[in-house]
Amino acid sequence: LLAPDLPAVKLAINEQVRAGVHVVTLFSDVAGSMREVYVGADNRAAGRTAGLLLARMAGAPERNTLLLLSQATRFSAEIERRIGFAQVVEERFARLAVRRGPDLPPDDEGAQKVLLQFLQNEIDPACLAGIYSVGSATAGVVRALGELGLAQAQGLVVHDFTELHRSLLVSGALAYVLHQDIHYCVLTAARVLRGLCENVRGALNVVQPRVEILTAENLH
């Protein structure tokens, strides 16, 4: 199950579990529900990783703002990423400030328009040290930065290694992609569910995937 963390979703999960259905959450957890296990990366740690990477790239003292971008979301994975990012910057990099951008539309064209307006009116480019985008619409984000000549001036960190992100890494539009092994997660979820259905002892013993840091230099 990949679903937002909403009361109606928790209720539905609980009803299924009470009816004897095994439920595993995948990639984004629904904590507080009766799901049997979560399979996916530690998203708060992923957000902290993004914060560390961007803070260490910040450079000149006047570059003191890290921009945090996301869609309006109730997926706990994205919420946890935002929390981890803000936490590590506050704890370890006192000279830097995290600035939340506007909630971006999920489509590239909409995200480009909203972000471009925000950058033109609300952000001093000379202060911008890096950008962390926890959600989708990466192409729109990159295009908005490109219109203002910021496409490669600041580091941009995103999630999930897609073909688009591969090409943007190679071109230099992205500094890092944070990735979890999706194939492993899906297979593990299937293995857990099968084990539960067959009453296999230890079916819930899951090794969670690590967050892999990808750059243009370490692509396979």
Side-chain angles (χ1 to χ4, degrees):
L1 173 70
L2 173 60
D5 190 352
L6 296 169
V9 173
K10 291 181 181 179
L11 179 61
I13 291 173
N14 294 347
E15 288 177 348
Q16 291 296 310
V17 172
R18 292 190 185 103
V21 177
H22 299 296
V23 177
V24 171
T25 52
L26 187 63
F27 303 130
S28 187
D29 199 9
V30 184
S33 70
M34 295 172 67
R35 61 97 175 106
E36 287 166 281
V37 71
Y38 160 66
V39 180
D42 182 334
N43 286 290
R44 190 168 297 200
R48 292 180 68 89
T49 300
L52 287 170
L53 292 170
L54 287 177
R56 289 169 178 172
M57 293 172 62
E62 64 271 16
R63 294 194 179 277
N64 59 8
T65 301
L66 296 177
L67 181 59
L68 176 58
L69 301 176
S70 70
Q71 284 75 40
T73 182
R74 290 303 300 269
F75 281 98
S76 67
E78 297 182 9
I79 295 169
E80 289 293 308
R81 291 169 185 172
R82 294 195 306 233
I83 292 171
F85 183 78
Q87 280 180 339
V88 77
V89 175
E90 180 181 356
E91 292 168 4
R92 300 183 58 176
F93 303 96
R95 80 170 186 87
L96 298 175
V98 174
R99 177 78 182 271
R100 270 291 301 273
D103 289 335
L104 300 180
D107 63 291
D108 290 318
E109 184 176 349
Q112 178 182 357
K113 181 178 179 181
V114 170
L115 180 57
L116 186 60
Q117 183 176 19
F118 174 77
L119 291 171
Q120 289 173 324
N121 298 326
E122 303 290 339
I123 291 289
D124 180 358
C127 296
L128 190 57
I131 304 159
Y132 178 39
S133 180
V134 306
S136 57
T138 301
V141 170
V142 170
R143 288 200 292 264
L145 295 173
E147 285 195 46
L148 298 178
L150 300 174
Q152 296 181 349
Q154 285 79 25
L156 173 59
V157 177
V158 301
H159 282 268
D160 303 323
F161 188 54
T162 63
E163 285 302 315
L164 170 65
H165 289 167
R166 174 191 286 274
S167 64
L168 291 174
L169 266 179
V170 172
S171 71
L174 301 181
Y176 300 98
V177 172
L178 302 181
H179 183 67
Q180 58 182 311
D181 189 336
I182 294 172
H183 183 69
Y184 167 81
C185 291
V186 173
L187 286 180
T188 299
R191 177 183 60 78
V192 168
L193 288 171
R194 180 173 179 176
L196 289 170
C197 290
E198 296 177 352
N199 295 314
V200 174
R201 184 176 181 181
L204 296 179
N205 293 333
V206 174
V207 177
Q208 301 292 11
R210 295 180 179 180
V211 175
E212 186 177 4
I213 302 171
L214 299 178
T215 69
E217 289 73 25
N218 70 2
L219 295 181
H220 299 301

